[in-house]
Amino acid sequence: MSAPVESTDFGVYVHIPFCSRRCDYCAFATWTDRDHLIGEYVDAVCLELDRSVSSGELVSATSVFFGGGTPSLIPGELLVRILDRIPLAPDAEVTVECNPDTVTAELAAIYFAGGVNRVSFGVQSMVPHVLTALGRTHDPASVARAVGFARNAGFLKLNLDLIYGGAGETLDDWCETLDAVIALRPTHVSAYALTIEPGTPLASDPARHPDDDDQADKYLAAEERLRNAGLLNYEISNWAVPGDECRHNELYWAQGDYLGFGCAAHSHRQGRRWWNVRTPDRYIETVAAGESTEASFELLDPEHRHVEGLRLALRTNVGVPSDALSDEDRELLDPLLEEAGGRLRLTVDGRLLANEVAVRLR
Amino acid sequence: MASLDRFRNLCIIAHIDHGKSTLADRMLELCGAVDPRDMRAQYLDSMDIERERGITIKLQSVRLDYRDHVLHLIDTPGHVDFGYEVSRSLAACEGAILLVDAAQGIEAQTLANCYLALENNLEIVAALNKIDLPAADPDRYAAEIEKVLGIPANEILRVSAKTGEGVSELLDAVVERIPAPEGDPDATLQGLIFDSHFDQYRGVVSSVRIMNGTLRTGERVKFVQAGSVYSAEEIGVRRPDPTPIASLGAGEVGYLIAGIKDVGEARSGETITTPVHPAPALEGYLEPKPMVFCGLYPIDGDEFTSLREALDKLRLNDSSYTFQPESSGALGFGFRCGFLGLLHMEIVRERLEREFNLSLIATAPSVQYVVHKENGDIITIDNPSELPTSTEVSLVEEPFLRATILTPTAYTGTLMELCQARRGEMIKIEYLSPERMELVYELPLAEVVTDFFDQMKSRTQGYASLDYEPAGYRSSELVKVDILLNAVPVDAFSMIVHKDKAYNYGLRMTEKLKELIPRQLFDVPIQAAIGGRIIARETVKAKRKDVLAKCYGGDISRKNKLLEKQKAGKKRMKNIGRVEVPQEAFVSALRLDD
Ligand SMILES: Nc1nc2c(ncn2[C@@H]2O[C@H](COP(=O)(O)OP(=O)(O)OP(=O)(O)O)[C@@H](O)[C@H]2O)c(=O)[nH]1
Ligand SMILES: C[S@@+](CC[C@H](N)C(=O)[O-])C[C@H]1O[C@@H](n2cnc3c(N)ncnc32)[C@H](O)[C@@H]1O
Ligand code: SF4
Ligand SMILES: [Mg+2]
């Protein structure tokens, strides 16, 4: 990506709200005690998709993203059944988020045969004590195994999600994670600074809260190691082999249109944003009753949309037009920015202080 | 004409917490003034701030029917900062109940207020209170009162304001010993306004004591000092609920509403009379001189005018503070205000915030200095940032207090130590009674303004008490400590201190600010300096990370809201030397405690 393009892409997000255990940092709409609803839930999603197709609303998608929750927790056939409903553009990107624990050779094969062409594994860390501190279940060995299954099944695009800054994680631990992940030769890495989300077990335990300086050091370590491994940063928390950027996420950051299916899924079209009812139970009920699954919506006025667009673009290597900051702010923020071709992009230090820049965009 | 024999005008005076307001409760009950269902402890403490703090701040008058008599009772505050309320009350009375805690005995304001009452020629009825307490020792303290104040022990009543024991005997003694007021109801009207407040709907409401003549509803009333004439819209008495009546005659106490919307009129100390053939003005009040000063600034700069209005209106109810506009590079436009003490300062600030819906920042308290300049000029400053540079100054004088401390003898040593550490000079040390010592020191006011009182209380388990009066100015070795943020001096944090304490202040302030100032995009040095010399330094390291880790489709709006919040937060910060300082940092850094 180099210049901003009015994206003609169109994405579909499918939410799978089931997990085997809730991680201590997680605030996503997911449930650990509703597995008995999986069948009905998938039926409901399929029904909503069918309705959307016949109403002409859902047209061919350039990207599909199964997120969660843990999409890999539901039987592969069910996931493929959902995917089958979605009209796809040629070369569409189809991603499934997986928990490494739940990936088997069979599952990988079903996905690949069913049209999935990108998998994303929630690795978080390759150091056991860090995983425990995050409240994760898998052991590092299962990551290599899952990656192997995916490769054997034919997957070329492979993302690994990481979290840094968990309690007790040293800089060495983090570098160990990075090295181990790089050794698995992913085409894409998302590395997130552990964020304390309100209402999570982590939030109520200040002893496990991350330290900004520590996370800054770890970010710089990630940037260095990933870059040396040929993975280039293209959004604050995302690195990819050039050409293998996540098309679906790029759509979000370019304020493109997308439709979300399933409970708590968000959609956006031309400045109107809406989201579905939050629980799977409610979702199944509303779909069955033939009612709208929309819980609420938000309309962005042009000014608001403009600023939001700048803030999103700032996070990516697309950057923002040079006049998006006042001269005074430009001067103040000088070390955080570099200018080329009439656009401002964040430097590495700037990426760590992106909020300071974002709040001054105009 | 009904004789004035029926009336008794009195106030209750005492040291703080000796039970004045609780005694007033029992009197209200005994006289059937308050429905038992509505009764609550310290009924007359009607302001929220009084109830929360459990102290009386304002005088309160109430009219009671006791047997064949009408009592005008005024409950007064005991804290030294509110002594002006006591003085004003005395002028409306012929007698005073001097209440003394039977477990504590005489304390500093017992003496101070008693002397004040004697100066006003009031008949004193002394009573020992709290005799229900196991620790009460009425015999011992009756003897002490006799020795110290010359009131015969056998004339001192013994009551419990808690149980009501002895209260009717006390009222009988009041009726018997306190003289009825004198005055001629048929003479020309002459009355004294001893308190006023501003009511949003009614305008100025004044408490008035009629000396001569009769005040009648609907008649024209002249305010002598202001020179204005209004008509008496409503006249009434507090029973304690305001109850309109047709007239108030000589010797009576009540309230007057004359539709006055201008807060400059009908102030305490004003004389009312008739417009034709007016009576001469009564002796008004000598307004006390403020001793402690601070800047009050609205947190929201747009509230400057509201603050001015609020200061005007509140002054009607409390004329003992002063204010003058000033501006600060750090805080914008505000007022330099003078108060009678730290508690007074705290209370006025809190009342401004509550009663007028303002959010204020108060700068560090300061006293008034007299500066002699090299060029011969002499200037008075009450804001440390006004102190000229040291080369221009030949001498600085600071105010001293004559402080009287009463303490159980056991604590004499520790109190002398404290006074010495605060640059005090001993004037007198004397046994008041075998167990009680009187220490008199001359101390710099600035030393008392900090935490002297708290220190005194904690060193003596609360048993020592303090009273003070101004004792002139003396030259001292004072320096101004400036606090610099990113090399820019912040006027609001400047402080004038004795040279031996400058380092300590600099250290404390820089350490405190280091905790309070958020990390910025660059390293921020925080320095304390005297003149050009840096005496302390801290650094707030540049922040390295401030970014939302993740921003996917489902939470774009949530993340945007977080950024909006951050942006709004920046707006509320003051920019000083390119450093964004949150308002809370000023508030916390300038807080007196810690
Ligand atoms: N045991 C006991 N406690 C009392 C008695 N009288 C007052 N108190 C308590 O002493 C405390 C102070 O009483 P107040 O009536 O507020 O004292 P005050 O003199 O009006 O205080 P200021 O107005 O602030 O000077 C309260 O906790 C009362 O409950 C008494 O006779 N016996
Ligand atoms: C939508 S989540 C769910 C993916 C999958 N359920 C999993 O956890 O493996 C995608 C990624 O977000 C990241 N994430 C979730 N919560 C986070 C938090 N509180 N702080 C930082 N990253 C977080 C994790 O790296 C996670 O893999
Ligand atoms: S597996 Fe993923 S979605 Fe499930 S609880 Fe953990 S972080 Fe949340
Ligand atoms: Mg009281």
Side-chain angles (χ1 to χ4, degrees):
Chain A
M1 287 173 99
S2 53
V5 266
E6 258 305 297
S7 182
T8 51
D9 281 7
F10 171 72
V12 170
Y13 174 79
V14 180
H15 192 64
I16 306 294
F18 307 104
C19 284
S20 47
R21 194 202 136 169
R22 188 177 274 275
C23 307
D24 289 355
Y25 53 84
C26 178
F28 287 101
T30 187
W31 283 263
T32 54
D33 58 353
R34 312 271 161 104
D35 288 7
H36 56 280
L37 293 178
I38 291 176
E40 284 175 76
Y41 184 80
V42 170
D43 288 344
V45 171
C46 289
L47 195 54
E48 202 195 3
L49 281 165
D50 289 346
R51 285 180 187 150
S52 188
V53 170
S54 44
S55 75
E57 195 184 24
L58 173 51
V59 292
S60 68
T62 49
S63 64
V64 177
F65 198 98
F66 287 88
T70 309
S72 57
L73 201 67
I74 69 169
E77 296 78 8
L78 292 187
L79 187 134
V80 171
R81 228 182 88 203
I82 296 174
L83 181 54
D84 282 344
R85 305 301 219 266
I86 305 171
L88 296 177
D91 304 326
E93 172 195 275
V94 181
T95 307
V96 179
E97 267 185 344
C98 306
N99 186 325
D101 269 351
T102 54
V103 179
T104 59
E106 295 73 45
L107 186 70
I110 294 171
Y111 282 169
F112 196 73
V116 178
N117 53 26
R118 185 174 181 271
V119 280
S120 169
F121 293 150
V123 175
Q124 322 311 358
S125 171
M126 295 296 271
V127 178
H129 76 89
V130 176
L131 284 169
T132 314
L134 289 172
R136 289 291 291 200
T137 50
H138 68 261
D139 77 289
S142 70
V143 175
R145 218 167 32 236
V147 168
F149 293 147
R151 286 238 162 76
N152 285 340
F155 283 100
L156 300 174
K157 293 185 178 189
L158 187 70
N159 171 56
L160 302 179
D161 274 349
L162 301 177
I163 293 183
Y164 55 92
E169 183 189 56
T170 63
L171 185 57
D172 284 346
D173 288 336
W174 172 239
C175 289
E176 188 181 326
T177 292
L178 287 167
D179 292 342
V181 159
I182 288 166
L184 294 172
R185 291 179 293 106
T187 53
H188 192 288
V189 169
S190 299
Y192 300 112
L194 176 63
T195 305
I196 303 303
E197 299 290 348
T200 58
L202 264 199
S204 49
D205 185 359
R208 288 206 277 165
H209 289 193
D211 172 77
D212 281 345
D213 290 339
D214 172 64
Q215 287 189 324
D217 290 337
K218 287 174 179 168
Y219 185 83
L220 296 180
E223 167 64 17
E224 189 189 319
R225 285 176 194 237
L226 293 170
R227 170 180 289 273
N228 289 341
L231 292 151
L232 301 189
N233 181 272
Y234 71 102
E235 192 266 357
I236 285 168
S237 306
N238 289 279
W239 288 260
V241 169
D244 281 338
E245 293 85 4
C246 175
R247 197 169 170 187
H248 189 76
N249 276 333
E250 284 183 328
L251 182 70
Y252 291 151
W253 302 326
Q255 295 186 301
D257 292 349
Y258 51 91
L259 287 179
F261 295 87
C263 64
H266 284 236
S267 307
H268 170 258
R269 205 169 39 213
Q270 300 300 316
R272 183 181 193 273
R273 225 166 4 220
W274 68 99
W275 46 96
N276 283 350
V277 294
R278 187 166 167 87
T279 70
D281 313 61
R282 230 8 237 123
Y283 177 75
I284 291 166
E285 271 169 43
T286 30
V287 173
E291 292 163 9
S292 163
T293 55
E294 182 174 315
S296 193
F297 73 98
E298 169 177 71
L299 284 176
L300 301 176
D301 58 70
E303 165 64 17
H304 198 129
R305 201 170 172 209
H306 166 71
V307 173
E308 189 180 282
L310 291 174
R311 288 176 178 172
L312 288 167
L314 177 76
R315 295 178 61 91
T316 69
N317 60 358
V318 172
V320 297
S322 296
D323 62 3
L325 285 172
S326 70
D327 289 346
E328 204 183 319
D329 287 339
R330 264 295 293 286
E331 199 192 313
L332 176 72
L333 302 170
D334 186 57
L336 308 183
L337 297 162
E338 55 201 8
E339 185 170 21
R343 299 190 73 81
L344 294 168
R345 294 181 186 79
L346 295 169
T347 59
V348 181
D349 290 334
R351 284 188 242 144
L352 278 167
L353 290 166
N355 285 6
E356 283 286 344
V357 182
V359 295
R360 293 178 166 90
L361 293 171
R362 49 158 204 190
Chain B
M1 222 32 249
S3 94
L4 306 183
D5 282 356
R6 295 193 303 132
F7 298 120
R8 293 294 180 278
N9 300 326
L10 68 147
C11 50
I12 313 179
I13 56 175
H15 190 75
I16 191 166
D17 274 350
H18 280 204
K20 298 173 287 297
S21 303
T22 310
L23 177 64
D25 287 348
R26 298 295 84 73
M27 295 180 170
L28 289 173
E29 280 171 358
L30 209 65
C31 301
V34 176
D35 189 314
R37 278 173 310 180
D38 298 333
M39 194 61 205
R40 54 179 187 178
Q42 289 93 38
Y43 189 91
L44 295 180
D45 288 345
S46 48
M47 277 194 284
D48 288 345
I49 190 169
E50 292 182 306
R51 305 203 63 79
E52 280 161 26
R53 292 174 180 247
I55 57 168
T56 304
I57 290 164
K58 286 295 301 175
L59 65 87
Q60 282 297 341
S61 66
V62 57
R63 175 173 173 133
L64 301 171
D65 294 317
Y66 181 68
R67 309 221 160 123
D68 301 331
H69 289 82
V70 175
L71 310 181
H72 292 119
L73 176 75
I74 304 179
D75 181 24
T76 67
H79 193 280
V80 58
D81 282 10
F82 307 118
Y84 186 48
E85 297 284 317
V86 182
S87 318
R88 298 206 319 280
S89 306
L90 297 173
C93 302
E94 280 76 38
I97 295 176
L98 175 69
L99 206 59
V100 181
D101 188 322
Q104 303 276 345
I106 292 181
E107 298 198 68
Q109 277 76 47
T110 314
L111 289 187
N113 288 333
C114 180
Y115 294 148
L116 213 54
L118 290 171
E119 279 167 30
N120 280 264
N121 297 318
L122 262 56
E123 178 67 31
I124 295 198
V125 178
L128 284 157
N129 184 30
K130 310 199 188 180
I131 54 169
D132 60 288
L133 286 177
D137 194 348
D139 291 339
R140 177 166 145 209
Y141 293 121
E144 186 179 66
I145 295 171
E146 177 170 307
K147 175 164 188 287
V148 177
L149 294 170
I151 300 172
N154 62 1
E155 286 179 15
I156 300 169
L157 287 101
R158 299 178 180 202
V159 302
S160 165
K162 185 177 172 189
T163 67
E165 189 183 344
V167 175
S168 64
E169 288 82 353
L170 176 58
L171 285 179
D172 290 339
V174 159
V175 169
E176 198 176 300
R177 297 190 208 163
I178 295 180
E182 288 167 7
D184 178 0
D186 299 322
T188 306
L189 174 66
Q190 190 186 35
L192 174 71
I193 292 182
F194 61 92
D195 196 27
S196 282
H197 74 270
F198 192 84
D199 180 282
Q200 200 185 336
Y201 306 104
R202 311 294 314 265
V204 178
V205 182
S206 304
S207 296
V208 51
R209 155 77 196 257
I210 309 297
M211 300 301 175
N212 280 302
T214 301
L215 174 64
R216 291 187 185 81
T217 308
E219 286 186 355
R220 309 280 290 163
V221 178
K222 179 174 171 127
F223 294 80
V224 180
Q225 278 96 319
S228 49
V229 175
Y230 289 89
S231 85
E233 253 175 34
E234 182 179 319
I235 295 168
V237 291
R238 299 191 173 90
R239 294 180 154 279
D241 291 332
T243 314
I245 54 173
S247 66
L248 273 180
E252 291 189 81
V253 174
Y255 66 87
L256 164 66
I257 299 172
I260 304 173
K261 302 288 183 202
D262 177 353
V263 294
E265 312 248 309
R267 297 193 154 280
S268 307
E270 175 66 274
T271 302
I272 56 166
T273 184
T274 45
V276 266
H277 308 304
L282 292 160
E283 198 181 322
Y285 299 116
L286 212 55
E287 286 199 356
K289 276 209 164 27
M291 303 215 268
V292 185
F293 298 79
C294 78
L296 285 183
Y297 290 83
I299 286 189
D300 175 355
D302 295 345
E303 286 187 340
F304 176 77
T305 351
S306 318
L307 175 57
R308 178 197 294 280
E309 277 170 30
L311 282 162
D312 268 330
K313 284 186 177 159
L314 187 63
R315 224 182 97 77
L316 186 67
N317 190 230
D318 177 0
S319 58
S320 60
Y321 68 85
T322 58
F323 62 98
Q324 247 178 36
E326 71 169 7
S327 69
S328 146
L331 302 174
F333 291 99
F335 294 90
R336 175 90 349 203
C337 305
F339 306 94
L340 300 182
L342 280 189
L343 179 64
H344 184 219
M345 167 173 145
E346 225 177 280
I347 297 284
V348 169
R349 180 208 159 150
E350 208 173 314
R351 287 187 69 187
L352 287 168
E353 293 195 316
R354 283 173 186 234
E355 295 171 30
F356 302 91
N357 236 325
L358 298 164
S359 295
L360 303 175
I361 295 180
T363 65
S366 161
V367 300
Q368 206 158 42
Y369 297 94
V370 175
V371 182
H372 297 251
K373 303 214 307 193
E374 290 291 357
N375 67 7
D377 289 354
I378 298 177
I379 57 169
T380 303
I381 61 165
D382 51 27
N383 180 345
S385 66
E386 292 168 356
L387 186 70
T389 54
S390 57
T391 50
E392 289 177 68
V393 175
S394 66
L395 184 103
V396 183
E397 290 181 300
E398 65 175 330
F400 269 64
L401 291 178
R402 183 186 166 92
T404 304
I405 301 175
L406 298 195
T407 176
T409 41
Y411 303 113
T412 312
T414 175
L415 286 174
M416 288 170 62
E417 213 176 84
L418 174 65
C419 290
Q420 257 138 37
R422 299 305 161 91
R423 302 188 280 132
E425 185 189 317
M426 186 188 281
I427 301 299
K428 178 172 147 193
I429 176 163
E430 195 177 284
Y431 278 100
L432 269 193
S433 66
E435 305 88 8
R436 200 179 304 273
M437 216 48 147
E438 181 184 28
L439 295 173
V440 179
Y441 269 86
E442 291 199 349
L443 282 159
L445 170 59
E447 296 284 346
V448 179
V449 158
T450 50
D451 62 344
F452 184 86
F453 191 76
D454 295 338
Q455 279 289 325
M456 181 190 83
K457 285 287 176 192
S458 77
R459 282 169 183 241
T460 63
Q461 265 101 57
Y463 281 114
S465 56
L466 169 74
D467 195 70
Y468 48 76
E469 57 192 14
Y473 277 73
R474 294 190 193 175
S475 80
S476 297
E477 292 193 76
L478 300 169
V479 293
K480 181 173 66 151
V481 180
D482 288 316
I483 304 292
L484 292 81
L485 219 54
N486 203 25
V488 176
V490 187
D491 54 6
F493 294 141
S494 291
M495 182 95 150
I496 294 175
V497 289
H498 189 260
K499 69 168 184 12
D500 294 346
K501 304 193 173 175
Y503 176 68
N504 219 313
Y505 175 76
L507 207 63
R508 240 187 38 229
M509 208 59 179
T510 48
E511 277 170 6
K512 214 164 165 181
L513 285 171
K514 184 183 176 191
E515 297 308 313
L516 292 169
I517 293 181
R519 296 169 70 175
Q520 315 271 320
L521 289 169
F522 42 87
D523 282 359
V524 177
I526 302 171
Q527 296 158 304
I530 300 174
R533 192 165 52 90
I534 304 296
I535 55 167
R537 182 194 164 107
E538 294 280 352
T539 305
V540 177
K541 297 298 274 175
K543 82 166 147 188
R544 296 185 51 207
K545 174 185 167 269
D546 180 10
V547 57
L548 302 166
K550 204 172 177 208
C551 202
Y552 63 100
D555 68 357
I556 293 176
S557 28
R558 188 167 74 102
K559 293 291 156 73
N560 236 314
K561 281 184 187 127
L562 288 176
L563 288 175
E564 285 308 322
K565 221 171 127 187
Q566 191 168 346
K567 189 171 171 178
K570 278 189 189 295
K571 282 227 179 79
R572 274 184 280 106
M573 301 214 206
K574 296 263 181 200
N575 257 299
I576 299 172
R578 290 173 69 224
V579 181
E580 291 172 340
V581 185
Q583 300 291 2
E584 303 78 62
F586 284 105
V587 176
S588 314
L590 294 170
R591 219 192 310 263
L592 307 169
D593 41 17
D594 51 45

